[in-house]
Amino acid sequence: MRFVLTLHRSHGAGPGGAAFLAAAGEAGELIGGYTLADPSLGVVVQLLHGATSVTGVPHPRPGTPATAQYMIDCENRERAVELAALLLGGGDGDVEVRPVMEAAGLEM
């Protein structure tokens, strides 16, 4: 099952990054990932009354911004949650664990 882990922290990738990369990499579960640039460099694109609107708002989610995303392929949700906890490494923030839909559009 594929999952996207989105790390939300006030700064940086987090203290657990190395442990996460080691565990997911050694198990062959890490497909890819990246650290995101500072939120101030991003924009939000929306459709408002049929017209495209681009604003300099750093991120639409209230709270801490997304700082990194990883795609993993693991056996089940429990394992995805275990890897997400490693990613936090006891630091602040949170990790959103979201399954990736299959090409047929069917979730789990």
Side-chain angles (χ1 to χ4, degrees):
M1 300 170 87
R2 288 190 175 194
F3 295 87
V4 172
L5 306 181
T6 304
L7 176 63
H8 295 269
R9 291 177 44 87
S10 56
H11 59 283
F20 164 78
L21 291 173
E26 289 173 12
E29 297 167 318
L30 181 64
I31 295 172
Y34 48 88
T35 301
L36 300 171
D38 189 83
S40 65
L41 300 173
V43 296
V44 174
V45 178
Q46 296 175 307
L47 282 178
L48 298 174
H49 309 292
T52 301
S53 168
V54 179
T55 63
V57 178
H59 53 88
R61 179 186 171 171
T64 55
T67 57
Q69 286 189 317
Y70 299 94
M71 173 80 73
I72 59 172
D73 189 356
C74 56
E75 190 172 326
N76 53 42
R77 180 178 161 177
E78 289 74 23
R79 175 62 177 160
V81 168
E82 181 180 312
L83 290 170
L86 277 177
L87 190 55
L88 283 172
D92 67 332
D94 62 77
V95 178
E96 177 184 359
V97 178
R98 184 179 284 186
V100 176
M101 291 181 64
E102 298 296 323
L106 302 174
E107 295 183 63
M108 319 294 149

